[in-house]
Amino acid sequence: MTTGHAQDAEQPETGITPGDKGAFRDVLSKDHARRGKPPVHLVDMTPDERIARAKDLGLPKFRVKQLANHYFGRLETESEAFTDLPAATRGDIVEAFFPPLIDEVTHQVADQGTTVKTLWRLFDGSHIESVLMRYPNRTTLCISSQVGCGMGCPFCATGKLGLTRNMSTGEILEQVRVAARMMRDGEVAGGPGRLSNIVFMGMGEPMGNYRSVLSAVRQISAMPPEGFGISARNITVSTVGVVPGIRKLAAEGIPVRLAVSLHAPSDALRDELVPMNKRFNTTQVLDAAHDYFLSSKRRVSIEYALMRGINDQAEHARLLAKRLNHYGDDWAHVNPIPLNPIEGSRWTASKPEDEQQFLDILHRAGITATLRDTRGSDIDGACGQLAAKTKEAFAA
């Protein structure tokens, strides 16, 4: 059974760097110093820890598998659903294995109800967001892995928050469970369906919370009762270019897709747009990404937010194509993303003709590229817009 931290006990919490060298430091929020640890959930436990906790409740070992099946197979955590367990202990069981980790504050819908952005309150009063997007042939959930983000990219609403803390595996997986149940129960426009794709593109830098993210990936992709049964090939892990994390992920042998938020083809420009570039430059990032392609046989997604007059001109497209073609094989798929506006930002979206020119140049150079769909932009649910605003902020 590959659950909890059994496979990850030796993994450091962060995948950013061994030691603390380099020109980059996490941008921390004012709440960073008082962060705490979430309650321990079933999915945070190793198999032995689950058995030990069950024993403490006077439950035999086989009950653990029943609990896992309720969670992963039936998407249940409510005691009244546990009819196959002793009635007298159901409340204690829920308290011991399924403490409440995320609580919906509000949700917004867009795109005729097929995009749902949910604001969650965590155990310590922190807030995160997830976005569920239903398409004709798939349903994708964009999930958060940190409270805030420490990468400090100036055009990203989440980056402006700073990092409060890492999320637990349980907090990450609860976003998945609730969305999967919403789809199963027909709570999203279009009727009952199945959650098919997971992207770690919400709040936070996934490689900065490597241990919990990896544990979540294993449990998302394992079959019930060990996981949700969503294929690893339908999971995307995004990073701003944390090279040690990319290389660790490649060594795991899990066929998830890697997405690299590049946003600039040169170090001079990327230093301004992505502060992490001062620690791991474009050559190091692209080398690691290409090595990931070689080891996984999965094409890497190159994410590129187009900003008017900043990185969207012909010379930028030509240099990007040259940098990618340097490796000599069809290893990357570029996703130019129309910049989604954030309040008070000087960064603006590219002109449509510049977006088209950028795509045309990449295509002529033999680079596969698709302009990203900006689902949820009108509810601040698109790429770079997640800021976990509370109800009070919405009303202001």
Side-chain angles (χ1 to χ4, degrees), residues 54-96:
K55 185 177 179 181
D56 289 342
L57 295 173
L59 298 174
K61 181 178 177 180
F62 75 89
R63 296 294 189 191
V64 171
K65 187 172 182 179
Q66 287 180 303
L67 291 174
N69 191 57
H70 275 286
Y71 188 80
F72 290 115
R74 301 181 187 175
L75 309 175
E76 298 167 340
T77 59
E78 302 83 5
S79 59
E80 56 268 24
F82 296 175
T83 55
D84 54 349
L85 280 87
T89 59
R90 287 175 198 165
D92 293 336
I93 290 169
V94 168
E95 185 177 347

Side-chain angles (χ1 to χ4, degrees), residues 41 89 124 163 168 189 210 241 247 281 302 358:
H41 190 279
T89 59
D124 56 357
L163 175 65
S168 68
Y210 187 88
R247 297 200 178 283
N281 64 33
I302 301 295
F358 200 94

Side-chain angles (χ1 to χ4, degrees), residues 305-314 336-339 347-360 371:
L306 291 167
M307 305 171 213
R308 184 176 301 186
I310 303 294
N311 67 349
D312 64 347
Q313 298 303 296
I337 307 166
L339 185 72
W347 314 93
T348 58
S350 299
K351 299 175 183 177
E353 57 267 31
D354 288 338
E355 293 177 355
Q356 190 57 53
Q357 174 185 247
F358 200 94
L359 276 173
D360 290 342
L371 195 67

Side-chain angles (χ1 to χ4, degrees), residues 5 13 34-45 53 95-102 121-126 128 145-147 164-174 209 211-212:
H5 294 158
E13 183 176 6
R34 59 184 181 85
R35 62 183 181 169
K37 287 189 175 295
V40 177
H41 190 279
L42 174 119
V43 301
D44 297 310
M45 303 177 197
R53 184 159 293 193
E95 185 177 347
F97 286 96
F98 305 112
L101 296 179
I102 65 174
R121 181 186 295 110
L122 307 185
F123 83 101
D124 56 357
S126 298
I128 57 129
S145 57
Q146 292 181 318
V147 179
T164 295
R165 65 172 175 85
N166 283 335
M167 293 172 62
S168 68
T169 300
E171 290 173 321
I172 295 170
L173 289 183
E174 273 291 88
N209 189 16
R211 183 170 58 195
S212 291

Side-chain angles (χ1 to χ4, degrees), residues 151-224:
M151 298 298 100
C153 300
F155 55 90
C156 175
T158 313
K160 294 169 77 71
L161 297 174
L163 175 65
T164 295
R165 65 172 175 85
N166 283 335
M167 293 172 62
S168 68
T169 300
E171 290 173 321
I172 295 170
L173 289 183
E174 273 291 88
Q175 298 170 78
V176 179
R177 182 188 67 84
V178 174
R181 190 155 81 170
M182 287 174 63
M183 287 299 300
R184 183 197 66 188
D185 295 347
E187 296 176 12
V188 180
R194 183 178 180 274
L195 180 63
S196 59
N197 294 67
I198 303 295
V199 294
F200 284 83
M201 293 183 175
M203 302 176 72
E205 164 55 56
M207 298 302 185
N209 189 16
Y210 187 88
R211 183 170 58 195
S212 291
V213 166
L214 182 63
S215 177
V217 165
R218 290 188 187 281
Q219 294 183 75
I220 291 168
S221 58
M223 294 302 295

